[in-house]
Structure formats: C-alpha cells, structure tokens
Amino acid sequence: MAPKIKRESEKENYSHNKPQTPKDKGEILRIVPLGGLEEVGRNMSYLEYKDEIVIIDMGLQFPEEETPGIDYIIPNITALEPKRKNIRAVIITHGHYDHIGAIPYLVGKLGNPTIYTAKLTKAIIEKRQEEFANAPKLNVVSIEDGYKAKVGQYFELEFFSVEHTIPDSTGVSIKTPVGNIVHFGDFRIDYDEAGEAHGLDVIKRVGEAGVHTFMCDSTNAEEPGRTLSERVIEKNLEILFKSAEGRIILTTFSSMLTRIAEIIKIAEKLGKKVVINGRSMKDNVQISQTMGYIKAKKGTIIPTEEMHKHKDDKIMIITTGAQGESGAGLMRIVNGEHKHIRIKEGDTMIFSSSVIPGNERSVQTLKDNLTRQGALVHQSNIIDIHASGHAPADDLTMTVKLLKPKFFMPIHGYYYMRAANGKNAVDGGLEPENVRLMDNGQVAELTPDSFQVTGENVPAHYIMVDGLGVGDVGEIVLRDRKVLAQEGMVVVIATIDRKNGRILKNPDIISRGFIYLKENQALLDEIRNKIRSIVNRIPRHQPMDPDYLKTLFRDQVGQFIYSKTNRRPMVLPVVIEI
Amino acid sequence: MAPKIKRESEKENYSHNKPQTPKDKGEILRIVPLGGLEEVGRNMSYLEYKDEIVIIDMGLQFPEEETPGIDYIIPNITALEPKRKNIRAVIITHGHYDHIGAIPYLVGKLGNPTIYTAKLTKAIIEKRQEEFANAPKLNVVSIEDGYKAKVGQYFELEFFSVEHTIPDSTGVSIKTPVGNIVHFGDFRIDYDEAGEAHGLDVIKRVGEAGVHTFMCDSTNAEEPGRTLSERVIEKNLEILFKSAEGRIILTTFSSMLTRIAEIIKIAEKLGKKVVINGRSMKDNVQISQTMGYIKAKKGTIIPTEEMHKHKDDKIMIITTGAQGESGAGLMRIVNGEHKHIRIKEGDTMIFSSSVIPGNERSVQTLKDNLTRQGALVHQSNIIDIHASGHAPADDLTMTVKLLKPKFFMPIHGYYYMRAANGKNAVDGGLEPENVRLMDNGQVAELTPDSFQVTGENVPAHYIMVDGLGVGDVGEIVLRDRKVLAQEGMVVVIATIDRKNGRILKNPDIISRGFIYLKENQALLDEIRNKIRSIVNRIPRHQPMDPDYLKTLFRDQVGQFIYSKTNRRPMVLPVVIEI
C-alpha cells in the first residue's frame, strides 16, 4: 500500500505544517515553481526572500499533440517581470533545452540578470543567444564544483557536480535565512561496471550541511531499480561496433554529450573515422572539442566529403534524428536528401536513445525505411545501448537517505511521476506529511520549520512561441487548429443586395480538408441551393441583418453537411452586402 | 550478423526462384496481400487459382497522425470487385477489429461470399453487421478445431485452434494444387506457469502434412525471448487484487476476452462483485457470457447502479479506455462525466494492457488525472500484468522449426518487423533465400517448387472511412488538414468592380487557427492595406482577371504575413466581381 501523500489542496496539510509562532511575512522564504511540475520540460522556479530573488533554470517545453503548429512553450514570467530589479541570480543547472531554452526569450524581460553556470553550459547558452537578433548579450559567471557565491543579502550559493548525460551538470545548495534549499537539476547516480556507485560522498556532504528542502528530479521516479551503468552501455556499444561489417550509423540525442564523447573515443580505439551529421550534433561536438570534453586525435573526426576515402568498416556516422524528426540529419539521409550520405546494404544502424512519448510512430516509420534500404537496425529495447540521465526509484530513495532533507519537493515531471517520487522519499525515511506535491504557479512559504503551500497562485499558463510571436497563440487559436485538422472547413460566401436582401450571384464555396470539392460537384450544388433557400426564406419586409444571416448559414449549412456526410467541418459564413 | 534476406525488388531473388519449366499461368497459385504488410492492421490477403479465390481476413486499421480526422482505414478491393463471382470463401481467423473490421464495408461489394469462422467470431461479426444499415446479412459457416471444407474445385480448408488473446482464434491450412498454404492469423505460444509450452502437437501435425508457404504474424518478431505465460499474468493480477484495500478499477482492451474471462473468475474467487463499464466491454462480455466463454455465477456481475450496495473492497470495475481514448469508459470516469462512478482516494487502478504507439501522451495524461484524484496506479512496465497476444522471436523460430515450410512469408507488421521475422525463420532452419518480404498489392506466383514475386501490382493504397464517406478523403484533403493544423488559415475577400477593377468595399478577412485577430487589429489593418495596394497596382487599362488577382493575393499576402509573423497560414483568396 502506498503511503498517504497529500495533495497541497487538501486541508489537513496546511494545519499540519502551521508554524508555531507565525512570523512576519518578510521573514518567510517563498518558493514558486513556474514550470516543470505538470510536464516534462519548461523547468523554471524561483526563490524569494524579502526583496531578493534567485531563479533556477529557464527551460522550454517542446510542443505536443495538444499544441499543433507551436514551436515551443516557455515559462510564464508575469509574476517576475515587475520584480525584475530584485533578481540577484539565475542558476542554470546544465545545458539541456528544457533547462536553458527560454533564456533568449525571457532574460531581457527580466533585466538581463547575472547567470551562474558551469563552463560548458555557458558556452552553449552564449552560442544560442547569438541566434536571437534582439536578445541581449548574457552576463554569465562561470562556476565549477565547490564554487560559492553570496548573491544579495540573503542568498549564498554553493555548487557541486552531479552526474547527468551532459558534462558540467551542476547541483546547487542555496543557503537562505530559513535553511538550505537543495536542487540537483537533472541527475542520476554514476555506477561503474561492477555496480559500485560514485559521487555519493558529494551528496552526503551536502546533506551534512543540513537540508531544509530537496527539490528533486522526478522524470524516472516511476521506474523501478537503479541506473544502468554508462560503462555497461559503452561496453555493449563497443561489442556492437566490433560486430559491424560495414559502416556504422549511430544516432542519439545531440545533447547527450557525455556518451557522444565516449563513442568517439571507442571509435578512435577501433581505428574508425567519425563523421558528424546534423547541425546541433556538429555544434555540440565542436563546442565540446574546443573546451576539451571531446579529446579526439586530429584526423579522427573527418568532413563528410572525405568519407569515401575510407573503407566502409572504418566509418562511423554520428547523427541527429533519433526521434524521427523531419528535417533532422538521419531523416535527410533516409529520404535521400543528404548531399553525401545514403543508406546502403550492410550499414549497421544504432539507436542509442529512448523514444520520447509521442514520437513512437515517427521512429517506427524511420526504422521501416532504414530496414527497407538494407540497414541492420539495433535499438535499446533489445540490448542495453541507452541509459536514461534521470535516476530511477531506488537511486532516488538512496539520495534522500543521504541528504536527509526536512521537506521533499518533487519537481520535473507530471503529477503521477512526482507522486511516485514522493513515495521514493518516504521509502528513504521521510515522513509522508513532509512531501510537497505542488503545481506550477503555486506559492510556498517556508520558515525554518515549515513548508506551507499557500492559496496564492501566480500566472503559470503556457506561453507559446510560434514563429516570431511569443504568447499570441492562445486557447482559441489552438482549438481552431485542432478542429480544422479533424474535419477541415467550408467557407460559404453570399453576396446580398442590401436594398432587397436578395442574393446577387451564385454563392461561392471554398473548402479545405473536408472533401475534394472538384470531385463532389453534386454536394457543392446542394450546398449552394441550401444557401439560396436560407436567404429566400427570409421575409422581404425584414431588414437585412448580416450577423443573423451568418448564424443561419453556420447552423443550417453545418447541419446539412452533417446529414449528408456525418462530418462537421468548420463552417465560415461570409456575407457581402452590396 | 543478420542473414541476407533480400527484398522482393532485388533481382537476384527472381532468378533464384525461377521455376525450371515455366508452367501455364492457369496452374499457378497467386497470393496477393491487400493490407497488413506495411502497417499493423488492415489485414487482408487472397489466394487465387484459375477462377477461384479464397480471402483471408478483412480488417481495418485505426487512424494515425498522418490521417487526421479519419475514422478507419480499410483494404483496397479494386482488384477483387470485378472477380467477385470467383470468391469461394472468406476465412476470418479471429474476432479482432484488425481482422474483421472492414467486413461491413466490403463484404457487400464482394457479393456477400460465405465466411468461415469460429463460433465466437461469428457472433461478434454478426452483431457488428447489424450496426450498418445497408450492409447485407452475413453468410457464416461456423467452424471448429479440425473442421475441414472443400471450397470450389481447388481449395480445401482445414482449421485448427491457435492461442491468442481472444477465444476461438483459428489458424488455417489451405490445401491448393501447388501445396499447403498455412496461415496462423495472430498467435502466440501458450505456456503454463512452469514454462511448459502447450499446443505444439497441433503445429507439428500441420507441419507433417507438408507446408508450401507459412504466412506468419510478425507483430512481435522484433521482441526477444518467449511469450510471457498468461498464467503468470493471472497470478500477478491475483496478488495485486488481494493487496488492494479499496475498489479495483482495471482496464484492458475489450478485445482481450481470454484475460477478461480469467479476471472475472479471480474476482469471483475473491468474493468481489464485478461492474462492466464501456460499451464495447459490455457487448463483448455479454456475447462471451451467452456463449459460455465467461462462466460467472449469477450476482457476480452487477449493474453499475448497485455498486453502492457493496463495500469498496468488494468491488472491481472492468472498463474500456486503457489507451486514454476520449469518450471511452475510463475517460468518462476520470473526467467526472460518468453517471455513477468517480475516482476516489484508495482506488487501485490497474492497466492490464500495453500502450499502442501514438497513444503514450494520452495515457500519461490519464495516469496523471488518476493519481491527482487519489488512485494508486499500476502499469505493466513495473510488474507483469500484461502479455502480448503475438509470439516473440524465440517462439516464432520454434514454430518454423515445427512447421518446416518451404517458403516463409511474414505478414502483419511494418517492413522492419517482417524483416526481423525473416531472421527468426532463418534461425528456425529456413534458407534466407526462401523468405519473401512482400509489400501490399504485390502479386506472388507459386508453383509446387517456387514462390516468385512478380512485377505486377494491384491497387493497395489506403481507403479511408470518414463519417459516411468511404474513399472520398484522399491525399489532398489530408495534406490540407495537416497544413491547417500547423498554422491555421486566412481568408481574404476582395469585392471588385468589374467595370473598372477597383475595390468596392473594405476587404473582409477571416482567420482561424492563425492568430486571434480581434486582439491583433494592427496586423488586420496592414493585411487590408496590402490587399488594396495589390489591386491598385494593377494598371487600369488591363482587364480584370480574378484568377490572376487570387494568385497575387495568395502569394503576396502569404509573404507579407510570413515577414510579420514567421508563420505560413494557408491563404485562401476570394474575389467577388460585381
């Protein structure tokens, strides 16, 4: 039976944590998650004490089925903008888009505050910032393991390294007047091949300083067991590489720089030349090389154009496109649109990645095309050639045991993932009543002995980026897109004589996504007749009311089409008065 | 290294199987797969010898991302319709929609031929047929294990039971003048708890009669290992049921009647009352009860309204909606739309099902809502409470070893799944050159010693069912739906004086799914000005050409909107000449 972890809306919880002596509001630390608590992505939270604010992460969320046509979803900073002068620091935990992606959109609006982050992350966010013409140059302080900084009067930051799939991932302990707030960013436990965990001493040390609240990654909280060792993955990849008789084409997330670095190392060891394909893969590898995270010998990484100079079994192509994204490197190869690379018989295709929910069909199609073109496809559901960057249940429980926080605030993930993480914390010794399952936009008030979620809410609804527009696509537009996608639409245009209310010419009808009208002239004529009869049935003495006419068109033409086809396209009536 | 299994388009293959003495075309058996070979679903194939035809299955495919708004996809029977008089039999292997779903749409067009199928399948297809007003009453011959029938001059059918997730699943061996063609429908191997396989004697017996071609289910061909025993699933479910302190809400596919029957049996044993929720679940349970496949005592299955008469720990609700389908039973409960059932704290929610690719996001949202409402969710990724109905690699290999076919034709699944199945067959002793990876619509010619895929193709493209329309939604309509879903559309309407080519009134602009125009008056005005300037720039002496004007509007307004917004809504120009 699962422990009873209460939602914050349940009353018992408030009473339970009521501080003994209510303090002045000024002496309370507020924690406000703006994103990342009802989704995977869009991670951003802030801490506020008196007139000082520290922000943690500024990520984006990729669009989903419910947001067709959208480029990104970013956090809502309505609550922060008026307080921009109070922002003392922005902490960026690591260089993944769900933690850095909203910086160019938001940092200017927040007064371009100082960003604290590690070296590689700094390089990645600075490079990305350049792509945004109107975004300000970033103020970045480069931090490393053990770096401490006092920011403002009330906050002291202490950074420590955490293990994730990109180098320079950092956790932070924020010393505040109410206690230490610890945030690990995304993390997993680093196991060696023998199953020995590394880096636990760091976690223990952070714990020994005392932890008020642990804000903890929940992405894999539902998965049982421990993290699969990256060493095992590397070993399996090496075995696969050796067994390949032709070229190797490997795809993974371009953000998994730790693994990419290791793959290049193995390739070099096996005497293979490496071709990097896809823009983000090229960018990331280049940055990592410049900064020494990838230490390939000269001549190991070769330009695509030189591939033909080497035998097939000496070639490894590392490419973007593991999710079957249209336009990505692998898709261009498979579709025959790549300038230099085609799939051929004997290629070994390795997916060293998981499939992000929602991308399953694209990946199936991709695998199908690869197999048809003669490649031998390996995926991580058959052998262990991918491990997640997020700690699963047993590791999360262990982390809680080492940290011994007073309060546990699961972040990063849907409610059910965070609820599962609450259970992990309880397994790690926490009292169920000290788990806090918040929603985006909820405001928590912390004293040294309490963590109360108030009834206050700040705006946290989706801000959507679509083309150049930020926030101009809202619910109505999305709803219309979904309706249009289902049954298409029909525009009916009636030109009416203002004087006598009669139809002046044959009604125009345009449809898209409904049925192909050219092949359905009969239906087209029936719709025209319907429009005429609607107009003719209006008594001649009645003044022409175009809005009333539009309503009649919408309802009656819609109903007529439904009766004929069982479909409900969007009907858009236009009345032109002459 | 994988064996070299050649695609049928590769020339070597043809030469390899060239019969020594080319026969009269009349003495050749043709196998034509119409669906199910480039997808999961829409299963239908036929065998043709001289002027006689036998059809196997008539399934539908559920819509996918690429076919928005579509209800179903059904097989293309263009090639069969003119030959309908030749059809001697339709074999239906089992009662799942991907094998029966197209019957009401197609059987009438094919002259309502005799259907051979087992008792339960007969009941299911007859009940469904009643829902289609214009579909003919079916002619069904009820078959059972060991049933033989001579159909026409050239075909003799012999049916045998296979294990799948619905009772009365049947395989068939079709004796033809060139040899026996064996088709197992969907199948898996039935293991007991001790890991002992059952039913292998049947497979062996079929094999001993000699198998020319084995048409083999490939759905799980890529999965390693053997089938998980349904007995283990049942045992795990029983443990879960016993540990639940409140109500149990269990969801699975309503088509998994074998498991549903077993779950009801366990519930009864534990003294629980069972509530059946969701239309297809109710229908299926009722049919199964009537026919004796579910043998619940009177009073075990109770109406929803009587649920309150029993303690929570005596209640089990079995419901549809395991895929998070909107409108399904579980969704109505979770959304608070169900008349009698709400989720409450202490409910144990069990997903005894897998997630169909493409439904991951819906299932995530569903789990989130369930957890928020206080249910404890169990899913098969954590404990074994679901097993697939399709044999994985080792079982497929074993089946080939027992059957010893001359030729192996993987069916049911994407190319990559079928290619993996080819490898399974080779592991089972088949020569790689005797594997046939066909595409839908390809025609194979078989003699006693050969199986050649010809260059001939019959139409096999998607036939889409949308509302009352069958086949009237084509590529253009789907493409438009996808475009509309991405960026919406803008209708620009200019009323022009035919005499002088001048604009008569303020241009009308309607948009949906683009931006909310009411809040973007400035852009609206700019678009109107753009339209005016396009018209004004046309020299007055030039005759008004509405098509030319439309092209200008489409291109220039589209370009203008893009420059302002970086979006490309569909621009639909209307020119009204007065």
Side-chain angles (χ1 to χ4, degrees):
Chain A
M1 188 64 198
K4 298 264 181 243
I5 298 167
K6 297 285 175 193
R7 293 188 57 199
E8 294 316 320
S9 53
E10 295 176 85
K11 284 222 179 103
E12 314 87 283
N13 220 10
Y14 291 110
S15 58
H16 197 100
N17 290 290
K18 206 163 267 177
Q20 271 65 39
T21 48
K23 300 211 169 195
D24 183 310
K25 276 270 175 190
E27 288 170 38
I28 277 168
L29 177 78
R30 290 153 54 96
I31 296 187
V32 186
L34 291 176
L37 270 72
E38 295 170 67
E39 59 267 307
V40 172
R42 194 167 69 113
N43 296 299
M44 181 169 179
S45 297
Y46 67 90
L47 274 53
E48 183 175 35
Y49 190 86
K50 291 187 177 172
D51 59 350
E52 297 194 342
I53 288 170
V54 170
I55 295 170
I56 308 167
D57 287 333
M58 223 178 258
L60 58 73
Q61 184 183 349
F62 289 97
E64 46 193 50
E65 217 175 300
E66 291 302 298
T67 58
I70 292 299
D71 299 334
Y72 307 117
I73 302 159
I74 59 174
N76 193 320
I77 54 165
T78 311
L80 277 175
E81 281 191 76
K83 297 178 178 176
R84 71 173 73 87
K85 289 216 170 78
N86 298 351
I87 300 169
R88 296 288 171 270
V90 177
I91 296 160
I92 301 291
T93 57
H94 63 287
H96 284 164
Y97 275 32
D98 52 338
H99 296 259
I100 65 165
I103 295 175
Y105 298 100
L106 304 182
V107 80
K109 293 183 181 166
L110 296 176
N112 203 12
T114 306
I115 293 174
Y116 292 79
T117 198
K119 205 171 60 154
L120 178 64
T121 318
K122 177 176 188 288
I124 292 172
I125 63 179
E126 284 177 344
K127 185 168 168 58
R128 183 150 185 271
Q129 194 78 355
E130 289 167 14
E131 295 168 18
F132 289 76
N134 301 318
K137 194 170 175 306
L138 298 174
N139 301 310
V140 186
V141 171
S142 185
I143 62 100
E144 53 194 17
D145 189 31
Y147 182 98
K148 288 184 194 184
K150 175 115 183 150
V151 291
Q153 271 192 73
Y154 304 115
F155 295 107
E156 202 177 320
L157 316 179
E158 182 174 351
F159 294 89
F160 49 91
S161 296
V162 295
E163 169 71 10
H164 187 45
T165 54
I166 184 167
D168 273 2
S169 293
T170 184
V172 63
S173 176
I174 307 175
K175 200 172 167 185
T176 78
V178 308
N180 296 336
I181 311 299
V182 172
H183 191 302
F184 268 43
D186 286 346
F187 80 105
R188 66 177 173 191
I189 302 296
D190 182 22
Y191 288 98
D192 62 23
E193 256 184 281
E196 186 89 25
H198 293 249
L200 301 189
D201 48 327
V202 179
I203 301 176
K204 218 170 147 189
R205 202 188 66 220
V206 173
E208 279 162 1
V211 178
H212 183 289
T213 294
F214 178 28
M215 299 171 75
C216 179
D217 181 15
S218 311
T219 315
N220 270 352
E222 247 209 327
E223 297 299 318
R226 309 191 312 179
T227 297
L228 189 61
S229 167
E230 193 67 20
R231 302 296 100 45
V232 172
I233 305 302
E234 288 158 11
K235 205 177 151 187
N236 287 345
L237 284 173
E238 185 167 341
I239 293 169
L240 254 189
F241 293 170
K242 283 181 183 162
S243 76
E245 293 178 7
R247 299 186 305 182
I248 293 167
I249 305 174
L250 183 146
T251 184
T252 187
F253 304 100
S254 64
S255 57
M256 295 202 88
L257 278 172
T258 306
R259 181 167 314 147
I260 294 166
E262 196 58 38
I263 287 167
I264 294 173
K265 210 159 104 184
I266 303 171
E268 196 169 75
K269 192 171 104 182
L270 300 178
K272 291 188 194 286
K273 302 294 175 186
V274 177
V275 172
I276 306 292
N277 185 52
R279 183 165 162 271
S280 64
M281 191 67 82
K282 278 183 179 160
D283 284 354
N284 285 352
V285 167
Q286 206 204 333
I287 291 176
S288 303
Q289 266 194 298
T290 310
M291 307 193 65
Y293 293 99
I294 291 178
K295 295 187 190 75
K297 279 184 214 136
K298 210 169 176 286
T300 292
I301 299 177
I302 60 167
T304 321
E305 306 84 59
E306 290 182 15
M307 212 171 57
H308 68 276
K309 294 185 187 165
H310 305 273
K311 279 200 197 146
D312 281 354
D313 63 350
K314 294 292 168 208
I315 291 292
M316 176 183 302
I317 299 162
I318 302 178
T319 183
T320 54
Q323 301 298 313
E325 311 96 315
S326 59
L330 185 53
M331 207 52 128
R332 281 186 289 118
I333 297 175
V334 169
N335 291 346
E337 293 158 9
H338 196 284
K339 210 172 159 190
H340 299 286
I341 315 175
R342 295 277 176 284
I343 299 295
K344 57 183 181 183
E345 187 87 16
D347 284 347
T348 294
M349 179 72 223
I350 301 172
F351 284 79
S352 182
S353 56
S354 55
V355 182
I356 295 172
N359 293 344
E360 289 76 8
R361 291 303 308 265
S362 317
V363 174
Q364 279 189 334
T365 308
L366 180 59
K367 281 171 67 179
D368 213 42
N369 286 331
L370 284 161
T371 313
R372 275 179 189 273
Q373 291 173 38
L376 182 66
V377 179
H378 297 277
Q379 209 183 11
S380 60
N381 60 344
I382 317 257
I383 38 169
D384 287 333
I385 49 176
H386 175 69
S388 165
H390 305 272
D394 290 0
D395 286 344
L396 291 163
T397 297
M398 180 180 72
T399 305
V400 169
K401 276 185 190 158
L402 292 168
L403 276 185
K404 298 189 183 63
K406 269 188 221 161
F407 297 96
F408 186 73
M409 177 183 167
I411 55 172
H412 304 172
Y414 293 92
Y415 186 89
Y416 76 89
M417 297 174 179
R418 292 184 292 114
N421 209 4
K423 186 180 169 306
N424 295 331
V426 172
D427 289 346
L430 214 86
E431 292 299 321
E433 60 267 27
N434 290 341
V435 172
R436 292 292 175 274
L437 295 178
M438 293 175 72
D439 284 341
N440 293 328
Q442 281 193 321
V443 176
E445 293 187 348
L446 284 69
T447 67
D449 302 312
S450 74
F451 184 128
Q452 283 188 74
V453 181
T454 67
E456 190 188 340
N457 275 282
V458 307
H461 57 261
Y462 279 7
I463 301 296
M464 283 171 275
V465 178
D466 188 0
L468 298 179
V470 176
D472 64 348
V473 170
E475 281 312 310
I476 295 173
V477 169
L478 286 185
R479 195 196 55 203
D480 285 346
R481 285 184 184 176
K482 281 181 267 183
V483 171
L484 290 168
Q486 287 303 303
E487 306 275 23
M489 54 97 190
V490 177
V491 185
V492 297
I493 303 150
T495 313
I496 308 278
D497 188 327
R498 197 193 307 263
K499 293 189 297 286
N500 59 17
R502 295 301 92 181
I503 280 194
L504 275 173
K505 57 196 296 285
N506 207 11
D508 283 290
I509 293 167
I510 312 174
S511 91
R512 290 290 185 279
F514 167 50
I515 48 176
Y516 198 46
L517 283 186
K518 279 190 186 165
E519 291 170 1
N520 288 275
Q521 282 297 336
L523 182 64
L524 200 63
D525 290 340
E526 287 182 288
I527 297 172
R528 286 210 181 92
N529 287 339
K530 185 79 200 169
I531 294 169
R532 278 198 207 91
S533 85
I534 292 169
V535 176
N536 288 338
R537 256 180 297 150
I538 294 174
R540 287 190 175 237
H541 54 81
Q542 204 172 296
M544 226 280 282
D545 177 351
D547 285 336
Y548 175 61
L549 208 51
K550 280 192 210 170
T551 306
L552 289 182
F553 286 163
R554 193 180 297 114
D555 294 351
Q556 296 188 22
V557 173
Q559 191 51 43
F560 176 76
I561 289 175
Y562 183 72
S563 74
K564 290 286 172 183
T565 65
N566 248 14
R567 299 181 209 169
R568 295 198 183 281
M570 190 184 274
V571 175
L572 297 173
V574 179
V575 173
I576 310 273
E577 295 172 88
I578 296 293
Chain B
M1 187 65 199
K4 299 264 181 242
I5 297 168
K6 298 285 174 193
R7 292 189 59 200
E8 295 316 319
S9 53
E10 293 176 86
K11 286 224 180 101
E12 313 88 285
N13 220 10
Y14 292 110
S15 57
H16 197 100
N17 290 289
K18 205 163 268 176
Q20 271 66 37
T21 47
K23 301 211 173 195
D24 183 311
K25 275 270 175 190
E27 287 168 40
I28 278 167
L29 177 78
R30 289 152 56 95
I31 297 187
V32 186
L34 291 177
L37 269 70
E38 294 171 69
E39 59 266 307
V40 172
R42 196 167 67 112
N43 296 300
M44 181 169 177
S45 296
Y46 67 90
L47 273 52
E48 184 176 35
Y49 190 85
K50 293 188 176 170
D51 59 351
E52 296 192 344
I53 288 171
V54 169
I55 295 170
I56 307 167
D57 286 334
M58 223 178 257
L60 58 73
Q61 185 183 350
F62 289 98
E64 46 193 48
E65 220 174 296
E66 292 301 299
T67 57
I70 292 298
D71 300 334
Y72 307 117
I73 302 159
I74 57 175
N76 193 321
I77 53 164
T78 312
L80 277 176
E81 281 191 74
K83 297 179 179 176
R84 70 173 74 88
K85 289 217 171 79
N86 298 351
I87 301 170
R88 296 288 172 268
V90 177
I91 296 160
I92 301 292
T93 57
H94 62 288
H96 285 164
Y97 274 32
D98 52 338
H99 294 260
I100 65 165
I103 295 175
Y105 299 101
L106 304 183
V107 80
K109 291 183 183 167
L110 295 177
N112 201 13
T114 305
I115 293 175
Y116 293 80
T117 198
K119 202 171 63 154
L120 177 64
T121 318
K122 178 176 187 289
I124 293 172
I125 62 178
E126 284 178 342
K127 185 170 167 58
R128 185 151 183 270
Q129 194 78 355
E130 289 167 14
E131 295 167 18
F132 290 75
N134 300 319
K137 195 171 175 301
L138 298 175
N139 301 311
V140 187
V141 172
S142 185
I143 63 100
E144 53 194 18
D145 188 29
Y147 183 97
K148 289 184 192 181
K150 175 115 184 152
V151 292
Q153 272 194 71
Y154 303 115
F155 296 107
E156 200 177 322
L157 316 179
E158 182 173 352
F159 294 90
F160 48 91
S161 296
V162 296
E163 169 72 10
H164 188 44
T165 54
I166 184 167
D168 272 1
S169 292
T170 185
V172 63
S173 176
I174 307 175
K175 200 171 166 185
T176 78
V178 308
N180 296 335
I181 310 300
V182 172
H183 191 302
F184 269 43
D186 286 346
F187 80 104
R188 65 176 173 193
I189 302 294
D190 182 24
Y191 287 98
D192 61 24
E193 258 185 279
E196 185 88 26
H198 293 248
L200 300 189
D201 48 328
V202 179
I203 301 176
K204 219 170 145 188
R205 202 189 64 217
V206 173
E208 279 162 2
V211 178
H212 183 288
T213 293
F214 179 28
M215 300 172 74
C216 179
D217 182 16
S218 311
T219 315
N220 269 352
E222 248 209 327
E223 299 298 320
R226 309 193 308 179
T227 297
L228 189 61
S229 166
E230 193 68 20
R231 302 296 99 48
V232 172
I233 304 303
E234 288 158 11
K235 204 174 151 189
N236 286 345
L237 283 173
E238 185 167 344
I239 293 169
L240 253 187
F241 294 170
K242 283 181 182 162
S243 77
E245 294 178 7
R247 297 185 306 183
I248 294 167
I249 305 174
L250 183 145
T251 184
T252 187
F253 304 99
S254 64
S255 58
M256 296 201 88
L257 278 172
T258 305
R259 182 168 312 147
I260 294 166
E262 196 57 37
I263 287 168
I264 294 173
K265 209 159 105 184
I266 303 171
E268 196 169 73
K269 190 171 105 182
L270 300 178
K272 291 187 194 288
K273 301 293 175 186
V274 176
V275 172
I276 306 294
N277 185 51
R279 184 166 159 272
S280 63
M281 192 67 84
K282 276 183 180 161
D283 284 354
N284 285 351
V285 167
Q286 207 206 330
I287 291 176
S288 302
Q289 266 193 297
T290 310
M291 307 193 64
Y293 292 101
I294 291 178
K295 294 186 189 74
K297 280 183 214 137
K298 208 166 179 284
T300 293
I301 299 176
I302 59 168
T304 321
E305 305 85 57
E306 291 181 13
M307 212 171 59
H308 68 276
K309 295 185 186 164
H310 305 273
K311 278 201 198 145
D312 280 355
D313 65 350
K314 293 293 169 208
I315 292 291
M316 176 182 303
I317 300 162
I318 303 177
T319 182
T320 54
Q323 302 298 314
E325 310 96 316
S326 60
L330 185 53
M331 207 52 127
R332 282 187 288 120
I333 297 176
V334 168
N335 291 346
E337 292 158 11
H338 196 283
K339 210 172 159 189
H340 298 286
I341 314 174
R342 295 278 175 284
I343 299 295
K344 57 184 182 184
E345 188 87 16
D347 283 346
T348 294
M349 179 72 224
I350 301 172
F351 284 79
S352 182
S353 55
S354 55
V355 182
I356 294 173
N359 293 343
E360 289 75 8
R361 291 304 308 267
S362 316
V363 174
Q364 279 189 335
T365 307
L366 180 60
K367 281 171 68 180
D368 215 42
N369 287 331
L370 284 162
T371 313
R372 275 180 189 271
Q373 292 174 35
L376 182 65
V377 179
H378 296 278
Q379 209 183 10
S380 60
N381 60 344
I382 318 261
I383 38 167
D384 288 333
I385 49 175
H386 175 69
S388 164
H390 305 271
D394 291 359
D395 286 344
L396 291 164
T397 297
M398 180 180 70
T399 305
V400 168
K401 276 185 190 160
L402 292 169
L403 276 186
K404 298 191 182 62
K406 270 188 221 159
F407 297 95
F408 186 74
M409 177 183 168
I411 55 171
H412 304 172
Y414 293 93
Y415 187 88
Y416 76 90
M417 297 172 179
R418 291 183 293 115
N421 209 4
K423 187 179 167 308
N424 295 330
V426 171
D427 290 346
L430 215 85
E431 292 299 321
E433 60 267 26
N434 290 341
V435 173
R436 292 292 175 273
L437 295 177
M438 294 176 71
D439 284 341
N440 294 328
Q442 279 192 323
V443 176
E445 293 186 348
L446 283 67
T447 66
D449 301 312
S450 75
F451 182 129
Q452 283 188 76
V453 182
T454 67
E456 189 189 340
N457 276 281
V458 307
H461 57 262
Y462 280 6
I463 301 296
M464 284 172 274
V465 178
D466 188 0
L468 298 180
V470 176
D472 64 348
V473 170
E475 282 312 309
I476 296 173
V477 169
L478 286 183
R479 196 196 55 205
D480 285 346
R481 286 184 184 176
K482 282 182 266 184
V483 171
L484 290 167
Q486 286 304 302
E487 307 275 22
M489 55 98 191
V490 177
V491 186
V492 298
I493 303 149
T495 312
I496 309 280
D497 188 328
R498 198 193 305 262
K499 294 188 295 285
N500 58 19
R502 295 302 90 183
I503 280 194
L504 275 174
K505 57 197 297 283
N506 208 9
D508 283 291
I509 293 167
I510 312 174
S511 90
R512 290 292 185 278
F514 168 49
I515 49 176
Y516 198 46
L517 283 185
K518 280 191 185 165
E519 291 169 1
N520 288 275
Q521 282 297 335
L523 182 64
L524 199 62
D525 289 340
E526 288 182 287
I527 297 172
R528 285 209 181 91
N529 288 337
K530 186 77 200 170
I531 293 169
R532 278 197 207 89
S533 86
I534 291 169
V535 177
N536 289 337
R537 258 182 293 149
I538 295 176
R540 289 198 174 231
H541 53 82
Q542 205 171 297
M544 228 282 282
D545 176 354
D547 284 336
Y548 175 61
L549 208 51
K550 280 192 209 170
T551 306
L552 290 181
F553 286 164
R554 191 179 298 116
D555 294 351
Q556 296 188 25
V557 172
Q559 191 51 44
F560 176 76
I561 289 175
Y562 183 73
S563 74
K564 290 285 172 182
T565 65
N566 250 14
R567 299 181 208 170
R568 296 198 183 281
M570 190 184 275
V571 176
L572 296 173
V574 179
V575 173
I576 310 272
E577 294 172 272
I578 296 292

